[in-house]
Amino acid sequence: DTGVSQDPRHKITKRGQNVTFRCDPISEHNRLYWYRQTLGQGPEFLTYFQNEAQLEKSRLLSDRFSAERPKGSFSTLEIQRTEQGDSAMYLCASSPNRGDYGYTFGSGTRLTVV
Amino acid sequence: QKEVEQNSGPLSVPEGAIASLNCTYSDRGSQSFFWYRQYSGKSPELIMSIYSNGDKEDGRFTAQLNKASQYVSLLIRDSQPSDSATYLCAVNKGTDKLIFGTGTRLQVFP
């Protein structure tokens, strides 16, 4: 069990560029979650997967955002045509069940859009 | 009304004192409750979970839940400077996701 891994740790991009983040959950966890956190705020839910199925997307997730989890293993979160308001920490978490026992978070990807 | 509310702080306590962190939630159907600790620039780390009314103790930490009052708290005994962090309250409403509060910043001074 190596924990939840996220890559990259930091990303600086110019406004209008596309970015993609990767998350590798704990291997036996079938649920994977994406959250976004800005300074002074708690994590905000974006989307989650059970295995390869994306079961819920937040209204925060505009059509510029897309997430995938092929084969129910790692997941990617892509942001197209980035805006300065997308600057945040993007957190991935996984859990073995419904989240009744809490999540394990990865280290996060800090995105800065300039 | 926010779904999960916390006082943003900072809450300042002297080393060795008891720190008391509070959280209220709006959905009476909420089923499970969590406290996460987040150091500056780091990701949240689960420290306590509680599912039924009453107290749950784990080392220096005690979580308290009162579903009738829709209130959950975290007590940290013998506070240490290393406890200085933001403490996030999270609630599972019976769906598959956690709803987080904005967090309370705790400062423990020597």
Side-chain angles (χ1 to χ4, degrees):
Chain A
D1 178 1
T2 56
V4 179
S5 298
Q6 290 190 248
D7 184 71
R9 293 292 301 275
H10 303 275
K11 178 71 176 179
I12 299 175
T13 191
K14 292 184 179 180
R15 189 172 49 189
Q17 298 295 304
N18 299 343
V19 294
T20 300
F21 310 141
R22 176 178 170 127
C23 172
D24 288 87
I26 293 171
S27 57
E28 62 268 27
H29 287 184
N30 63 7
R31 279 178 160 77
L32 185 149
Y33 303 82
W34 286 98
Y35 280 75
R36 179 172 67 188
Q37 187 177 25
T38 54
L39 195 63
Q41 300 298 313
E44 295 176 299
F45 171 78
L46 293 178
T47 189
Y48 89 96
F49 294 84
Q50 179 178 336
N51 299 314
E52 67 276 10
Q54 187 173 19
L55 297 187
E56 186 175 345
K57 291 172 60 172
S58 165
R59 287 170 293 177
L60 292 175
L61 214 64
S62 77
D63 53 10
R64 296 185 298 107
F65 289 71
S66 62
E68 295 182 338
R69 192 184 181 195
K71 301 179 183 177
S73 56
F74 71 92
S75 176
T76 58
L77 178 68
E78 180 184 17
I79 309 174
Q80 296 182 328
R81 305 181 303 281
T82 52
E83 302 172 355
Q84 286 189 320
D86 297 331
S87 296
M89 174 78 87
Y90 289 83
L91 294 164
C92 176
S94 68
S95 74
N97 49 36
R98 282 165 43 95
D100 290 349
Y101 300 97
Y103 305 154
T104 301
F105 279 94
S107 299
T109 294
R110 181 165 297 284
L111 173 66
T112 303
V113 182
V114 297
Chain B
Q1 183 186 9
K2 290 184 180 178
E3 293 185 271
V4 180
E5 295 210 52
Q6 297 181 255
N7 187 317
S8 60
L11 173 65
S12 293
V13 300
E15 184 173 358
I18 296 175
S20 178
L21 303 157
N22 304 316
C23 171
T24 57
Y25 58 94
S26 62
D27 190 331
R28 285 194 171 275
S30 299
Q31 298 180 352
S32 48
F33 307 85
F34 305 90
W35 284 99
Y36 283 80
R37 177 176 61 200
Q38 187 172 29
Y39 292 113
S40 181
K42 304 296 186 183
S43 62
E45 172 193 11
L46 180 64
I47 54 171
M48 288 290 288
S49 58
I50 189 165
Y51 306 98
S52 54
N53 281 330
D55 295 0
K56 179 181 177 182
E57 187 174 319
D58 183 0
R60 295 187 297 112
F61 299 102
T62 299
Q64 299 175 316
L65 175 61
N66 183 326
K67 288 187 177 181
S69 300
Q70 296 175 240
Y71 178 93
V72 58
S73 65
L74 179 70
L75 301 178
I76 306 175
R77 289 181 300 282
D78 188 25
S79 296
Q80 301 297 309
S82 59
D83 294 325
S84 298
T86 296
Y87 289 81
L88 297 162
C89 174
V91 173
N92 185 330
K93 301 193 300 181
T95 63
D96 282 335
K97 63 181 187 283
L98 297 185
I99 308 299
F100 286 83
T102 55
T104 298
R105 189 157 62 95
L106 172 66
Q107 294 178 335
V108 181
F109 56 91

